[in-house]
Amino acid sequence: MYTQERTTMSNLVVGGPVAVNSYDNAIVAALVENRPVMLVHAFNGGYLRPAELREESHDKGVQLATALDPATKEAQGHLWYITPAGFFGQRPLYFLESAAGQVSPEPSGTSASTGTGTADAGRGDDGMPKPKRRRITVHQEAPKTTADTVQVGLPDKVADKWRGKNGAPEDTQLWVVTVTPWGGITFVPITHPDAILGFKDYAVTPNSEVRLTYNWGGDFTGTVINTFYPRLPNEWNVPYHHVFT
């Protein structure tokens, strides 16, 4: 079923002790090629989408949707970039960036006029400025209460409690991405290593609110209930909860 785009890469160690040797092209595309993917939940086949798709929104969270409506598809609200962002010890770190509402790069030469040097988010291999994308940001005090959700926004646009404690706004946006033994991926924030990306009240239902939950698995591989399968856009009609049983 998934052989048409299989990569020849094998034994690629990404984010942890588990090697990617299943030739899953979606994991390789997401973590190595930085291609946008759907993040499909292992339990009920729903996918993650920002609660608000507009680029002006920076204080809304993420929800689990089970139907891919035309508006979400048109706005690329079903797609995420897992963008490299340095290292935590020997583990690579990533940003989880939404393809919805990304800000187009400024014309060449205009970023220097701000005087801050931060307007240019870097340049790609083609020399063009990279687009600024809204990232999943966690609450400083999560997961103490079920009210601590996540926000999707630019580093300087999210609310104060979603900014880094140590002077770096990105603190609360850095994730350890681990490939699990069962072929999915999990997300652990570096600010809360005992937590994992999950759902409010542990309810994996349509429109569930994404938040940090305690990682009952006890390690970076997490638990099955908090596992996501990256899927390329051409694979979004696969009945995941029947395939992965």
Side-chain angles (χ1 to χ4, degrees):
M1 182 177 291
Y2 299 110
T3 58
Q4 73 275 15
E5 292 186 21
R6 290 297 187 200
T7 175
T8 57
M9 300 175 70
S10 64
N11 296 319
L12 173 70
V13 178
V14 183
V18 181
V20 180
N21 53 19
S22 62
Y23 301 94
D24 193 316
N25 56 300
I27 291 178
V28 174
L31 298 181
V32 178
E33 301 173 11
N34 199 214
R35 292 170 57 186
V37 293
M38 290 183 74
L39 295 177
V40 180
H41 197 265
F43 186 70
N44 74 346
Y47 67 94
L48 297 187
R49 69 180 295 278
E52 176 56 62
L53 301 177
R54 297 174 304 163
E55 70 178 50
E56 296 86 3
S57 174
H58 302 280
D59 60 351
K60 303 298 181 183
V62 183
Q63 64 186 32
L64 185 74
T66 53
L68 183 56
D69 59 280
T72 300
K73 185 176 178 181
E74 177 69 22
Q76 293 192 317
H78 59 305
L79 296 178
W80 298 87
Y81 290 88
I82 305 178
T83 305
F87 289 86
F88 176 59
Q90 294 183 342
R91 293 177 179 271
L93 296 174
Y94 296 88
F95 296 125
L96 306 184
E97 299 182 321
S98 174
Q102 83 177 14
V103 180
S104 300
E106 298 180 7
S108 178
T110 60
S111 61
S113 62
T114 65
T116 63
T118 60
D120 193 337
R123 296 180 180 272
D125 294 337
D126 56 2
M128 296 297 292
K130 294 180 180 179
K132 292 196 293 182
R133 303 189 184 104
R134 297 181 302 156
R135 302 167 181 168
I136 296 183
T137 305
V138 302
H139 195 278
Q140 285 184 3
E141 299 175 356
K144 290 182 180 179
T145 72
T146 56
D148 295 328
T149 179
V150 299
Q151 289 190 353
V152 178
L154 297 177
D156 57 341
K157 299 290 185 180
V158 296
D160 288 341
K161 280 294 185 178
W162 279 264
R163 299 178 192 273
K165 290 184 177 180
N166 303 319
E170 293 81 6
D171 283 3
T172 51
Q173 297 180 326
L174 292 170
W175 301 82
V176 175
V177 180
T178 303
V179 181
T180 65
W182 41 86
I185 54 178
T186 58
F187 303 102
V188 175
I190 65 166
T191 51
H192 307 286
D194 59 343
I196 202 166
L197 194 68
F199 297 95
K200 183 178 179 180
D201 300 324
Y202 310 102
V204 188
T205 57
N207 301 319
S208 289
E209 184 180 276
V210 172
R211 62 180 297 275
L212 292 190
T213 60
Y214 286 105
N215 180 16
W216 305 118
D219 59 19
F220 280 101
T221 62
T223 58
V224 175
I225 199 68
N226 290 319
T227 295
F228 300 90
Y229 290 99
R231 292 275 66 93
L232 294 172
N234 66 312
E235 298 175 340
W236 63 49
N237 287 325
V238 174
Y240 307 101
H241 50 295
H242 295 304
V243 174
F244 302 109
T245 55

